Amino acid sequence: MKFGSVALIGKSNVGKSTFINQVLKVKLSITSPVAQTTRNTILGIYNDNDSQIVFYDTPGIYKTMNRMNREMMKETKRSLNNVDLILYFINSYDRINDTDKGIIKLIKESDTKAYLVVNKSDLIENEEEFFERLEGFKNEYDFDGRFAISSLYNHNVDELINDIKNALDEGVRIYDEDLFTDRPIRFLVSEYIREKAINLTHEDLPHSITCVIDDYKDKDNGVTSISSSIVVEKESQKPILIGKGGRMIKEIGIEARKDIEALTGTKVYLELFVKVEKGWREKEYLLKEYGLLSEKEKE
């Protein structure tokens, strides 16, 4: 059977998380139109009869300054040096820019086989212009393969998986076939809540929001009881999340509960709070507490 590890890399909002969710047929990585939605490198495990592929969904690369974002970029760079194949995602409407050239430089330095994956192929309106834009990427690096897909509509995704399998060596499974990630349920639950907070507030909050699980209990009556805090950086951000008469925090809870119940297969009682931690993205002890400081940095 085939076994190998594959890193998904690219700028923000190129559809890496949508791709991994489509491949695994389960909601592993949260999605939103906002940059910086994926903050941790998330491991997704694909299994079929003749292969196991371990995908690493990395945070989107862009220019940033705060401590949290620097840690995200370190984790992404580390992933490239420990995989068998890199999938470099771009949007079908992208023209190569300095950020892309920086990513391609990382790929070159990793000396790892790399495919160029052009996502959102459903948005290609003019093929001549599309191929002209693509030339900029082809001229920068001689990729081992190039693929046009639509993660959202599952177009050419299965074909890409088959090509990935063909590129991998023979091996054995290292994860149980029933697993789709190595992340604990508490992490996935916190991400589901953060996703709803990002997508429902429609304010300049996403970069300032994180979510922590304060308490998680599976009860004998088939109910899972969860208490969680949504963390923001400023007092002025707190009322945006709570909303008038508590409407916003209630809506976040209702929407998050749907995803959590689908994940756990249980009835979920979810209690949400909003907490202010000023400047948490620059504080090492809080990044550790929130699971946003890489393991190597903790040592």
Side-chain angles (χ1 to χ4, degrees), residues 2 6 15 18 21 25 38 48 114 131 139 146 172 181 198 214 225 239 242 253 261 283 292 298:
K2 293 297 187 80
V6 179
T18 303
N21 291 344
K25 307 303 180 191
T38 301
D48 62 17
F131 285 113
N139 292 337
R146 296 186 296 272
V172 296
T181 186
I198 289 172
D214 302 313
S225 177
I242 295 173
E261 289 182 341
K283 296 177 179 178
L292 293 167
K298 293 178 188 179

Side-chain angles (χ1 to χ4, degrees), residues 7-24 26 28-38 55-61 87-94 103 117-123 148-155 157 160:
L8 315 183
I9 187 173
K11 294 179 294 190
S12 293
N13 293 329
V14 292
K16 301 186 303 296
S17 296
T18 303
F19 172 81
I20 195 69
N21 291 344
Q22 184 68 256
V23 168
L24 300 182
V26 67
L28 173 61
S29 297
I30 64 172
T31 60
S32 87
V34 177
Q36 199 181 295
T37 300
T38 301
F55 288 98
Y56 293 87
D57 183 14
T58 67
I61 291 181
L87 301 186
Y88 173 36
F89 276 70
I90 63 171
N91 292 312
S92 62
Y93 46 79
D94 285 346
I103 296 171
V117 180
V118 184
N119 197 19
K120 306 178 187 177
S121 61
D122 53 296
L123 299 181
I149 70 168
S150 172
S151 297
L152 183 62
Y153 295 106
N154 199 26
H155 178 64
V157 172
L160 176 54

Side-chain angles (χ1 to χ4, degrees), residues 92-290:
S92 62
Y93 46 79
D94 285 346
R95 287 189 181 275
I96 193 166
N97 60 21
D98 288 342
T99 302
D100 293 301
K101 291 178 181 179
I103 296 171
I104 291 173
K105 183 174 182 288
L106 293 177
I107 293 172
K108 291 177 180 177
E109 292 171 351
S110 74
D111 196 29
T112 302
K113 182 182 289 188
Y115 290 167
L116 177 66
V117 180
V118 184
N119 197 19
K120 306 178 187 177
S121 61
D122 53 296
L123 299 181
I124 298 174
E125 296 180 351
N126 184 308
E127 286 196 359
E128 185 177 342
E129 292 180 358
F130 164 69
F131 285 113
E132 184 268 325
R133 292 191 297 270
L134 193 59
E135 280 299 315
F137 294 91
K138 290 165 62 178
N139 292 337
E140 193 69 22
Y141 185 67
D142 185 19
F143 290 92
D144 296 277
R146 296 186 296 272
F147 303 86
I149 70 168
S150 172
S151 297
L152 183 62
Y153 295 106
N154 199 26
H155 178 64
N156 283 341
V157 172
D158 291 340
E159 288 78 2
L160 176 54
I161 292 297
N162 286 332
D163 278 293
I164 290 171
K165 283 198 238 179
N166 291 334
L168 298 178
D169 294 330
E170 294 292 324
V172 296
R173 299 182 201 275
I174 63 172
Y175 293 100
D176 289 342
E177 292 184 60
D178 294 336
L179 288 179
F180 66 90
T181 186
D182 66 341
R183 290 284 184 171
I185 287 181
R186 290 170 68 108
F187 170 81
L188 298 178
V189 168
S190 70
E191 287 287 270
Y192 291 173
I193 297 168
R194 183 167 68 89
E195 177 190 58
K196 305 311 177 188
I198 289 172
N199 290 336
L200 288 171
T201 54
H202 303 296
E203 296 282 349
D204 189 22
L205 286 183
H207 298 170
S208 303
I209 293 174
T210 196
C211 181
V212 292
I213 304 301
D214 302 313
D215 190 53
Y216 186 107
K217 292 178 181 175
D218 289 316
K219 298 185 176 180
D220 294 336
N221 60 358
V223 174
T224 300
S225 177
I226 302 168
S227 174
S228 175
S229 294
I230 302 172
V231 182
V232 292
E233 288 187 309
K234 301 176 183 177
E235 287 289 344
S236 60
Q237 295 167 336
K238 190 173 181 179
I240 297 172
L241 276 169
I242 295 173
K244 187 175 181 181
R247 287 182 211 163
M248 178 56 70
I249 197 74
K250 182 179 180 181
E251 188 175 1
I252 292 169
I254 290 171
E255 293 302 312
R257 190 181 301 113
K258 294 175 184 176
D259 283 348
I260 299 168
E261 289 182 341
L263 175 70
T264 62
T266 65
K267 183 74 175 174
V268 169
Y269 172 75
L270 177 62
E271 191 174 21
L272 297 180
F273 304 92
V274 180
K275 182 167 69 173
V276 178
E277 288 284 2
K278 294 182 179 179
W280 67 263
R281 289 182 292 171
E282 291 287 357
K283 296 177 179 178
E284 182 176 329
Y285 77 96
L286 287 176
L287 292 175
K288 288 180 180 178
E289 181 180 335
Y290 300 155

